[in-house]
Short mmCIF file of all heavy atoms in Angstrom, two decimals:
data_model
loop_
_atom_site.label_atom_id
_atom_site.label_comp_id
_atom_site.label_asym_id
_atom_site.label_seq_id
_atom_site.Cartn_x
_atom_site.Cartn_y
_atom_site.Cartn_z
N VAL A 1212 -30.17 -6.70 -6.38
CA VAL A 1212 -29.96 -5.32 -6.81
C VAL A 1212 -29.07 -4.58 -5.83
O VAL A 1212 -28.18 -3.82 -6.22
CB VAL A 1212 -31.32 -4.60 -6.97
CG1 VAL A 1212 -31.13 -3.13 -7.24
CG2 VAL A 1212 -32.13 -5.25 -8.06
N ILE A 1213 -29.28 -4.81 -4.55
CA ILE A 1213 -28.49 -4.11 -3.54
C ILE A 1213 -27.02 -4.50 -3.64
O ILE A 1213 -26.14 -3.65 -3.56
CB ILE A 1213 -29.03 -4.41 -2.13
CG1 ILE A 1213 -30.46 -3.96 -2.07
CG2 ILE A 1213 -28.15 -3.81 -1.07
CD1 ILE A 1213 -30.88 -3.08 -0.98
N TRP A 1214 -26.75 -5.80 -3.81
CA TRP A 1214 -25.36 -6.23 -3.91
C TRP A 1214 -24.70 -5.70 -5.18
O TRP A 1214 -23.52 -5.35 -5.18
CB TRP A 1214 -25.25 -7.76 -3.86
CG TRP A 1214 -25.42 -8.26 -2.46
CD1 TRP A 1214 -26.48 -8.95 -1.96
CD2 TRP A 1214 -24.50 -8.10 -1.38
NE1 TRP A 1214 -26.28 -9.22 -0.63
CE2 TRP A 1214 -25.07 -8.71 -0.25
CE3 TRP A 1214 -23.27 -7.48 -1.26
CZ2 TRP A 1214 -24.43 -8.73 0.99
CZ3 TRP A 1214 -22.63 -7.50 -0.03
CH2 TRP A 1214 -23.21 -8.12 1.07
N ARG A 1215 -25.45 -5.66 -6.28
CA ARG A 1215 -24.88 -5.09 -7.51
C ARG A 1215 -24.61 -3.60 -7.33
O ARG A 1215 -23.59 -3.08 -7.81
CB ARG A 1215 -25.81 -5.34 -8.69
CG ARG A 1215 -25.78 -6.77 -9.16
CD ARG A 1215 -26.47 -6.93 -10.48
NE ARG A 1215 -27.82 -6.39 -10.49
CZ ARG A 1215 -28.91 -7.08 -10.74
NH1 ARG A 1215 -28.82 -8.36 -11.04
NH2 ARG A 1215 -30.08 -6.52 -10.73
N ALA A 1216 -25.51 -2.89 -6.67
CA ALA A 1216 -25.29 -1.46 -6.42
C ALA A 1216 -24.08 -1.25 -5.53
O ALA A 1216 -23.26 -0.36 -5.77
CB ALA A 1216 -26.54 -0.85 -5.77
N LEU A 1217 -23.93 -2.09 -4.52
CA LEU A 1217 -22.78 -1.98 -3.62
C LEU A 1217 -21.48 -2.27 -4.36
O LEU A 1217 -20.50 -1.54 -4.23
CB LEU A 1217 -22.96 -2.94 -2.44
CG LEU A 1217 -21.91 -2.86 -1.34
CD1 LEU A 1217 -21.93 -1.49 -0.69
CD2 LEU A 1217 -22.18 -3.93 -0.31
N LEU A 1218 -21.48 -3.31 -5.17
CA LEU A 1218 -20.28 -3.65 -5.94
C LEU A 1218 -19.92 -2.55 -6.93
O LEU A 1218 -18.76 -2.16 -7.06
CB LEU A 1218 -20.49 -4.98 -6.68
CG LEU A 1218 -19.33 -5.49 -7.51
CD1 LEU A 1218 -18.10 -5.71 -6.65
CD2 LEU A 1218 -19.72 -6.77 -8.22
N SER A 1219 -20.92 -2.01 -7.59
CA SER A 1219 -20.68 -0.89 -8.52
C SER A 1219 -20.11 0.31 -7.79
O SER A 1219 -19.18 0.97 -8.27
CB SER A 1219 -21.98 -0.48 -9.21
OG SER A 1219 -22.50 -1.53 -9.95
N GLY A 1220 -20.68 0.62 -6.64
CA GLY A 1220 -20.20 1.75 -5.85
C GLY A 1220 -18.78 1.57 -5.39
O GLY A 1220 -17.97 2.49 -5.45
N VAL A 1221 -18.45 0.37 -4.92
CA VAL A 1221 -17.08 0.10 -4.45
C VAL A 1221 -16.09 0.25 -5.59
O VAL A 1221 -15.03 0.89 -5.44
CB VAL A 1221 -17.00 -1.30 -3.80
CG1 VAL A 1221 -15.56 -1.71 -3.59
CG2 VAL A 1221 -17.75 -1.30 -2.48
N LEU A 1222 -16.41 -0.32 -6.76
CA LEU A 1222 -15.50 -0.19 -7.91
C LEU A 1222 -15.34 1.27 -8.32
O LEU A 1222 -14.22 1.73 -8.61
CB LEU A 1222 -16.01 -1.03 -9.07
CG LEU A 1222 -15.95 -2.54 -8.88
CD1 LEU A 1222 -16.59 -3.26 -10.06
CD2 LEU A 1222 -14.52 -3.00 -8.69
N ALA A 1223 -16.44 2.02 -8.34
CA ALA A 1223 -16.37 3.43 -8.72
C ALA A 1223 -15.54 4.23 -7.71
O ALA A 1223 -14.74 5.10 -8.10
CB ALA A 1223 -17.77 4.02 -8.83
N GLU A 1224 -15.71 3.95 -6.44
CA GLU A 1224 -14.97 4.70 -5.43
C GLU A 1224 -13.49 4.34 -5.44
O GLU A 1224 -12.64 5.18 -5.17
CB GLU A 1224 -15.57 4.48 -4.04
CG GLU A 1224 -16.97 5.04 -3.89
CD GLU A 1224 -17.09 6.51 -4.26
OE1 GLU A 1224 -16.13 7.28 -4.09
OE2 GLU A 1224 -18.18 6.90 -4.71
N LEU A 1225 -13.15 3.10 -5.78
CA LEU A 1225 -11.73 2.75 -5.91
C LEU A 1225 -11.08 3.52 -7.06
O LEU A 1225 -9.93 3.97 -6.94
CB LEU A 1225 -11.57 1.24 -6.10
CG LEU A 1225 -11.85 0.40 -4.87
CD1 LEU A 1225 -11.77 -1.09 -5.22
CD2 LEU A 1225 -10.90 0.74 -3.75
N VAL A 1226 -11.82 3.69 -8.14
CA VAL A 1226 -11.32 4.50 -9.26
C VAL A 1226 -11.14 5.95 -8.81
O VAL A 1226 -10.14 6.61 -9.13
CB VAL A 1226 -12.25 4.40 -10.48
CG1 VAL A 1226 -11.90 5.42 -11.54
CG2 VAL A 1226 -12.22 3.00 -11.05
N MET A 1227 -12.11 6.46 -8.02
CA MET A 1227 -12.01 7.83 -7.51
C MET A 1227 -10.79 8.01 -6.62
O MET A 1227 -10.03 8.97 -6.78
CB MET A 1227 -13.27 8.19 -6.71
CG MET A 1227 -13.23 9.60 -6.13
SD MET A 1227 -14.32 9.83 -4.70
CE MET A 1227 -13.41 9.01 -3.41
N VAL A 1228 -10.57 7.06 -5.71
CA VAL A 1228 -9.44 7.15 -4.79
C VAL A 1228 -8.12 7.09 -5.57
O VAL A 1228 -7.19 7.85 -5.29
CB VAL A 1228 -9.51 6.06 -3.71
CG1 VAL A 1228 -8.22 5.97 -2.90
CG2 VAL A 1228 -10.69 6.32 -2.78
N ALA A 1229 -8.05 6.22 -6.56
CA ALA A 1229 -6.83 6.12 -7.37
C ALA A 1229 -6.59 7.42 -8.14
O ALA A 1229 -5.45 7.90 -8.23
CB ALA A 1229 -6.94 4.95 -8.34
N GLY A 1230 -7.65 8.01 -8.67
CA GLY A 1230 -7.53 9.28 -9.37
C GLY A 1230 -7.07 10.40 -8.46
O GLY A 1230 -6.19 11.20 -8.82
N TYR A 1231 -7.67 10.48 -7.26
CA TYR A 1231 -7.23 11.48 -6.29
C TYR A 1231 -5.76 11.28 -5.92
O TYR A 1231 -5.01 12.23 -5.79
CB TYR A 1231 -8.07 11.39 -5.01
CG TYR A 1231 -9.43 12.04 -5.07
CD1 TYR A 1231 -9.91 12.64 -6.22
CD2 TYR A 1231 -10.24 12.05 -3.95
CE1 TYR A 1231 -11.16 13.23 -6.25
CE2 TYR A 1231 -11.49 12.63 -3.96
CZ TYR A 1231 -11.94 13.22 -5.12
OH TYR A 1231 -13.18 13.80 -5.13
N PHE A 1232 -5.37 10.02 -5.76
CA PHE A 1232 -3.99 9.71 -5.37
C PHE A 1232 -3.00 10.19 -6.42
O PHE A 1232 -2.01 10.85 -6.10
CB PHE A 1232 -3.86 8.21 -5.13
CG PHE A 1232 -2.47 7.78 -4.74
CD1 PHE A 1232 -1.96 8.10 -3.49
CD2 PHE A 1232 -1.67 7.08 -5.61
CE1 PHE A 1232 -0.68 7.71 -3.11
CE2 PHE A 1232 -0.39 6.68 -5.26
CZ PHE A 1232 0.11 7.02 -4.00
N VAL A 1233 -3.26 9.87 -7.67
CA VAL A 1233 -2.36 10.29 -8.75
C VAL A 1233 -2.30 11.81 -8.84
O VAL A 1233 -1.23 12.41 -8.97
CB VAL A 1233 -2.80 9.67 -10.10
CG1 VAL A 1233 -2.04 10.27 -11.27
CG2 VAL A 1233 -2.63 8.16 -10.07
N TYR A 1234 -3.46 12.45 -8.75
CA TYR A 1234 -3.50 13.92 -8.80
C TYR A 1234 -2.71 14.53 -7.64
O TYR A 1234 -1.94 15.48 -7.84
CB TYR A 1234 -4.96 14.38 -8.76
CG TYR A 1234 -5.13 15.86 -8.65
CD1 TYR A 1234 -4.91 16.68 -9.74
CD2 TYR A 1234 -5.51 16.45 -7.45
CE1 TYR A 1234 -5.07 18.06 -9.65
CE2 TYR A 1234 -5.67 17.81 -7.34
CZ TYR A 1234 -5.44 18.62 -8.44
OH TYR A 1234 -5.60 19.98 -8.34
N GLU A 1235 -2.90 13.99 -6.44
CA GLU A 1235 -2.23 14.55 -5.27
C GLU A 1235 -0.73 14.30 -5.28
O GLU A 1235 0.03 15.06 -4.68
CB GLU A 1235 -2.87 14.00 -3.99
CG GLU A 1235 -4.26 14.56 -3.76
CD GLU A 1235 -5.01 13.90 -2.62
OE1 GLU A 1235 -4.47 12.94 -2.03
OE2 GLU A 1235 -6.13 14.33 -2.34
N ILE A 1236 -0.28 13.24 -5.94
CA ILE A 1236 1.17 13.02 -6.09
C ILE A 1236 1.79 14.20 -6.82
O ILE A 1236 2.82 14.73 -6.42
CB ILE A 1236 1.46 11.69 -6.82
CG1 ILE A 1236 1.23 10.52 -5.88
CG2 ILE A 1236 2.90 11.66 -7.34
CD1 ILE A 1236 1.39 9.17 -6.55
N PHE A 1237 1.15 14.61 -7.91
CA PHE A 1237 1.69 15.73 -8.67
C PHE A 1237 1.55 17.05 -7.93
O PHE A 1237 2.38 17.94 -8.05
CB PHE A 1237 0.99 15.84 -10.04
CG PHE A 1237 1.34 14.72 -10.97
CD1 PHE A 1237 0.37 13.82 -11.38
CD2 PHE A 1237 2.64 14.55 -11.43
CE1 PHE A 1237 0.69 12.78 -12.23
CE2 PHE A 1237 2.97 13.53 -12.28
CZ PHE A 1237 2.00 12.64 -12.69
N LEU A 1238 0.49 17.19 -7.15
CA LEU A 1238 0.23 18.46 -6.47
C LEU A 1238 1.01 18.60 -5.16
O LEU A 1238 1.61 19.65 -4.91
CB LEU A 1238 -1.27 18.57 -6.19
CG LEU A 1238 -1.81 19.94 -5.86
CD1 LEU A 1238 -1.58 20.90 -7.02
CD2 LEU A 1238 -3.30 19.85 -5.58
N TYR A 1239 1.04 17.53 -4.34
CA TYR A 1239 1.62 17.63 -3.00
C TYR A 1239 2.82 16.72 -2.77
O TYR A 1239 3.52 16.88 -1.78
CB TYR A 1239 0.57 17.29 -1.93
CG TYR A 1239 -0.67 18.10 -2.01
CD1 TYR A 1239 -1.91 17.49 -2.22
CD2 TYR A 1239 -0.65 19.49 -1.88
CE1 TYR A 1239 -3.07 18.23 -2.29
CE2 TYR A 1239 -1.81 20.23 -1.95
CZ TYR A 1239 -3.02 19.60 -2.16
OH TYR A 1239 -4.16 20.32 -2.23
N GLY A 1240 3.01 15.71 -3.60
CA GLY A 1240 4.07 14.73 -3.38
C GLY A 1240 3.49 13.41 -2.90
O GLY A 1240 2.36 13.33 -2.44
#
């Protein structure tokens, strides 16, 4: 369960970082 939770969290955070990156490109360059 811990490894699945960790894997889920890592995948979710990578999506978050990618989303922030795309948003910040439009906002700041």
Side-chain angles (χ1 to χ4, degrees):
V1212 173
I1213 301 232
W1214 283 109
R1215 286 192 307 240
L1217 186 63
L1218 181 60
S1219 299
V1221 167
L1222 291 175
E1224 294 306 330
L1225 289 175
V1226 170
M1227 179 203 76
V1228 170
Y1231 281 2
F1232 179 71
V1233 170
Y1234 173 75
E1235 289 172 357
I1236 285 175
F1237 291 115
L1238 197 61
Y1239 305 119

